[in-house]
Amino acid sequence: MEDAIISNEELLQELSDAIVSCKKDAVLAAVEKAKGVIEPSEIIEKGLAAGMNEVGTLFERGKLFLPHVMMAADAMTSGVESLKDLMPEGAESKMGVIVNGTVEGDVHDIGKSIVSTMLQSAGFEVHDIGRDVPVKNFIDKAKEVSANMVGLSALMTTTLQGQKDVIELLKEEGMRDGVKVMIGGAPATQAWADKIGADCYAENASEAVAKAKELLL
Ligand code: B12
């Protein structure tokens, strides 16, 4: 029993180290090894995302440079992609319709995509509208698919304002009562969510799933 725990920890460490190495092959090999042993959501959050956070720290300290970060990001995306066939498709009867995207001016989409994948496999109908998404597109898509919730990701202090702008436009369009708003991304906080009148803030993808269930079920 203890062996299994240790070996899972080692696998998670290997996943994280592979991301830090910025090598796609190493990441895909580590994912292959972990498949079937560890839950896909855990591989993503406790292995790959943990590695990406480490990359962020090394970048901030000047130990890694932007090309490394781009390679790590690319490897991360491939790693998550290779797990998609293992993630449940989602329930037959949809638990709610969610439009999710990264706000205008912000191209960071790794975390947002993880959140979309996890919400989808939890049974929500998710429309991921990408990154650098103009405010109006969130509203248009929410109308088109009769969304119950909009998810807004922002990874830079300079783009956090975009989350507020979407909420304001939802109000202007008279849609705010019918559409919950969930915000996330490294610089977002519960205090910011309260300030801009979002319904909730989630720190990571598992929390996003739990909070979406709380608000929509
Ligand atoms: C990878 C990365 C990139 C990649 C992005 C690739 C991609 N496809 O996403 C590239 C290289 C392209 C990039 C570019 C830039 N980046 Co950059 N980048 C990062 C880095 C290192 C990691 C981000 C990441 O993917 N983390 C891993 C994921 C899994 O975590 P996450 O995104 O936080 O997501 C989790 C949670 O936040 C949450 N979540 C996320 N979204 C959502 C949404 C909802 C609805 C919910 C509920 C939850 C949720 O759940 C996720 C899963 O657990 C961060 C550093 C950091 N510490 O964050 C800098 C960082 C965000 N970048 C930064 C900057 C400045 C830039 C650039 C301007 C270039 C530069 N000079 O460095 C450009 C931005 C261009 C633009 N206009 O957007 C700064 C932002 C500073 C600030 N102002 O706040 C950071 C903080 C680095 C730094 N300290 O300088 N970057």
Side-chain angles (χ1 to χ4, degrees):
M1 185 68 191
E2 214 163 72
D3 271 1
I5 293 167
I6 291 167
S7 105
N8 274 13
E9 274 174 7
E10 278 170 0
L11 284 171
L12 291 172
Q13 188 61 47
E14 205 171 306
L15 287 157
S16 172
D17 290 347
I19 292 285
V20 176
S21 80
C22 308
K23 291 188 185 125
K24 194 187 285 190
D25 288 355
V27 170
L28 291 175
V31 169
E32 275 313 309
K33 226 166 133 179
K35 268 185 187 174
V37 184
I38 303 175
E39 284 293 311
S41 59
E42 209 170 313
I43 293 179
I44 294 173
E45 290 224 79
K46 296 194 179 153
L48 302 176
M52 204 62 217
N53 287 333
E54 176 70 16
V55 166
T57 307
L58 292 169
F59 175 65
E60 278 152 33
R61 291 189 187 147
K63 301 250 158 81
L64 282 181
F65 299 101
L66 205 55
H68 300 125
V69 178
M70 290 171 83
M71 282 164 67
D74 185 41
M76 168 104 196
T77 305
S78 302
V80 173
E81 202 59 39
S82 75
L83 282 165
K84 279 208 173 135
D85 53 335
L86 289 183
M87 310 278 284
E89 283 281 305
E92 275 295 303
S93 60
K94 296 294 174 192
M95 305 197 300
V97 180
I98 304 177
V99 170
N100 196 31
T102 304
V103 299
E104 192 159 15
D106 199 324
V107 304
H108 297 91
D109 67 354
I110 298 173
K112 178 272 299 165
S113 301
I114 294 174
V115 170
S116 288
T117 304
M118 302 260 290
L119 285 170
Q120 199 157 16
S121 62
F124 292 98
E125 179 182 323
V126 180
H127 298 266
D128 188 322
I129 54 172
R131 56 186 178 175
D132 190 9
V133 178
V135 178
K136 191 171 173 298
N137 292 17
F138 281 98
I139 277 67
D140 290 346
K141 193 69 188 180
K143 275 185 195 158
E144 182 196 323
V145 300
S146 306
N148 310 108
M149 177 181 265
V150 170
L152 303 169
S153 182
L155 259 289
M156 301 193 289
T157 47
T158 46
T159 54
L160 275 179
Q161 177 67 29
Q163 297 179 327
K164 182 165 188 273
D165 294 343
V166 174
I167 293 176
E168 292 308 318
L169 194 55
L170 280 170
K171 281 188 199 155
E172 273 173 39
E173 296 282 320
M175 295 163 70
R176 185 65 184 93
D177 287 346
V179 181
K180 304 282 184 202
V181 176
M182 175 157 71
I183 65 158
T189 58
Q190 184 59 53
W192 173 246
D194 295 341
K195 189 167 175 201
I196 64 174
D199 295 288
C200 77
Y201 155 75
E203 196 181 344
N204 54 47
S206 323
E207 207 177 295
V209 169
K211 296 216 168 156
K213 283 183 178 167
E214 250 172 57
L215 284 169
L216 297 183
L217 298 189

